[in-house]
Amino acid sequence: MGIEGFDDAGVYQLTEELGIVQTVDFFTPVVNDPYWFGQIAAANAMSDIYAMGGVPKTAMNIVCFSPKKFDLAILKEILRGGTEKIKEAGAVLIGGHSVDDEEIKYGLAVTGIIHPRRIIRNEGAEPGDILVLTKPLGTGILNTGIKADLLKENDILNVSRIMATLNNKASELMLSLETHGATDVTGFGLIGHLKEMIKEEIGVELYLKEIPLIDGAIELAKSGFLPGGLYRNRDYFKTYVINLFEGPIYDILFDPQTSGGLLFAVPEGSSFMLKENAHKLGIEVWIIGRFTKENKGKIVLI
Ligand code: CO
Ligand code: CO
C-alpha cells in the first residue's frame, strides 16, 4: 500500500501474518521548550503508525541543527524528549541523521508492524457509523498564540501535554472495536482529514456542540490569532462543507493540528463498548458525528 490512497502510512507485506508499516515526519519547533518539542515531534511522527492500527518498533532521528547558532544543550533536550516518547511507545531508537541547518527541525522515521488483514485505512466508514475523536482541537491556534507570547504558562503546559500524548491507547481502543476507517487529525485540520474518510462515497453530519476544544483556543480564535494554514485549509475544503458560517467555532474546524487525535468510524452499536473500553484504557473520547448515505462527499454541520 503506497501513496495513492492518501493513507497515513505505507504498508509492505512480508508474510501472510506480518507487514511493516512506515512513515516519516519532522518539523520546526511548535513550542519554546526543547524537551517538550522533542516529545511532541516524536509523538506526532509515530501517530501515523497508530492511525493505521500498527505498532511502532524502530525509530530513527531526523535532526536539522546548527551548533554554531545554538547551544548543543538545546539539541540534547530535544533528543531526550524524543527518546522518552520512543521508549514509552515500546519502540527502540536505532539510528538517525543530522544536517547543519540554521533553522531547527526534528522528527522521526518510524517502522512498525501490522497484521496485513487488520490494516485500518482512512476510507471504509459506512452510513450509520458514528464518528469518534480522541483529542480536543485547537493546537494550531494555540501554537500561534505561543509564538505571539499570548499564552499563560498553564495553557502552554496543557496544550504541550495534549500534543505529546501518544495515540497508542487510542489505537488500542479502535482495534478493540469493529473500526471501519481511521486517520489522525494533522495539518489539514478536522474537515480536511474527515473529507479523506468520506471521499465521494458517503456523507457525514458533524455535531458542532460535541466538538472538544482545548482551553483558550476559542478565545484566541475570537481575537483573530489564526495560523496561515487554517486559512489555506478553509479556502481549500470549504466547498465540501454545508452550513458553514463565519466565526471562531467554524475556524477551529480547519485548524491545522500538530500531533492531533485519532478520528475513526465504528458502528453505532459499538458506542457502549467504545465508552467502556476508553474508560478502561484511561483515555477520553468524543462522538462528534455520524456517517450518512445522503450528501455524498459532503460534511454537514448540525
Ligand atoms: Co496522518
Ligand atoms: Co505524516
Side-chain angles (χ1 to χ4, degrees):
M1 255 181 60
I3 53 177
E4 64 285 339
F6 298 103
D7 275 293
D8 291 290
V11 180
Y12 185 82
Q13 184 168 344
L14 296 171
T15 68
E16 284 297 304
E17 310 275 291
L18 189 66
I20 51 171
V21 51
Q22 294 185 293
T23 184
V24 56
D25 217 327
F26 65 110
F27 48 58
T28 56
V30 288
V31 294
N32 296 322
D33 184 305
Y35 174 60
W36 276 111
F37 170 54
Q39 293 184 64
I40 293 163
N44 178 74
M46 290 186 281
S47 177
D48 279 330
I49 304 273
Y50 290 127
M52 303 290 290
V55 179
K57 287 294 170 188
T58 63
M60 294 201 273
N61 283 331
I62 295 163
V63 176
C64 301
F65 192 88
S66 167
K68 287 191 269 325
K69 192 172 174 191
F70 298 106
D71 191 335
L72 265 176
I74 295 172
L75 179 57
K76 264 196 186 148
E77 281 297 282
I78 294 173
L79 297 180
R80 184 169 72 92
T83 307
E84 274 184 20
K85 279 291 143 183
I86 294 166
K87 250 188 221 155
E88 187 188 329
V92 285
L93 183 69
I94 56 163
H97 186 72
S98 61
V99 293
D100 200 309
D101 188 339
E102 301 249 307
E103 191 179 36
I104 296 174
K105 297 173 198 80
Y106 172 66
L108 302 174
V110 191
T111 300
I113 54 170
I114 197 163
H115 194 293
R117 279 181 305 279
R118 289 231 61 192
I119 297 168
I120 302 173
R121 308 197 56 169
N122 50 23
E123 58 190 35
E126 292 168 18
D129 284 355
I130 53 174
L131 176 66
V132 182
L133 178 65
T134 67
K135 280 189 191 183
L137 300 180
T139 66
I141 292 169
L142 286 156
N143 292 344
T144 305
I146 292 174
K147 292 208 171 85
D149 215 5
L150 288 169
L151 255 64
K152 289 192 207 77
E153 203 52 48
N154 56 333
D155 284 334
I156 295 174
L157 197 63
N158 183 47
V159 68
S160 299
R161 256 197 210 112
I162 290 168
M163 290 187 287
T165 300
L166 290 177
N167 280 331
N168 56 348
K169 289 181 177 170
S171 186
E172 244 183 87
L173 174 66
M174 95 184 170
L175 288 170
S176 77
L177 305 164
E178 192 199 319
T179 300
H180 290 150
T183 188
D184 55 345
V185 185
T186 52
F188 297 127
L190 176 66
I191 296 287
H193 291 283
L194 187 52
K195 173 64 189 166
E196 283 168 9
M197 289 182 79
I198 59 172
K199 304 232 162 45
E200 297 301 321
E201 307 302 313
I202 51 173
V204 63
E205 289 173 344
L206 205 52
Y207 312 144
L208 267 187
K209 283 199 180 69
E210 304 298 328
I211 290 171
L213 304 174
I214 304 172
D215 286 348
I218 202 93
E219 290 75 12
L220 272 175
K222 270 183 198 154
S223 58
F225 271 90
L226 304 175
L230 188 153
Y231 294 106
R232 284 193 293 277
N233 286 341
R234 188 169 170 137
D235 268 357
Y236 190 78
F237 293 110
K238 66 182 178 205
T239 58
Y240 305 115
V241 185
I242 296 174
N243 298 332
L244 179 64
F245 298 98
E246 293 300 320
I249 179 66
Y250 299 98
D251 288 331
I252 289 175
L253 302 177
F254 298 94
D255 187 37
Q257 301 299 285
T258 299
S259 194
L262 296 190
L263 187 63
F264 59 88
V266 291
E268 198 182 5
S270 303
S271 56
F272 179 78
M273 277 261 279
L274 170 81
K275 298 250 167 82
E276 182 99 338
N277 294 359
H279 182 74
K280 278 188 207 144
L281 288 161
I283 60 168
E284 278 189 286
V285 292
W286 294 268
I287 296 171
I288 61 164
R290 192 176 70 90
F291 293 90
T292 60
K293 271 202 302 289
E294 302 79 34
N295 298 307
K296 285 188 177 46
K298 300 276 195 250
I299 297 156
V300 185
L301 306 181
I302 60 172

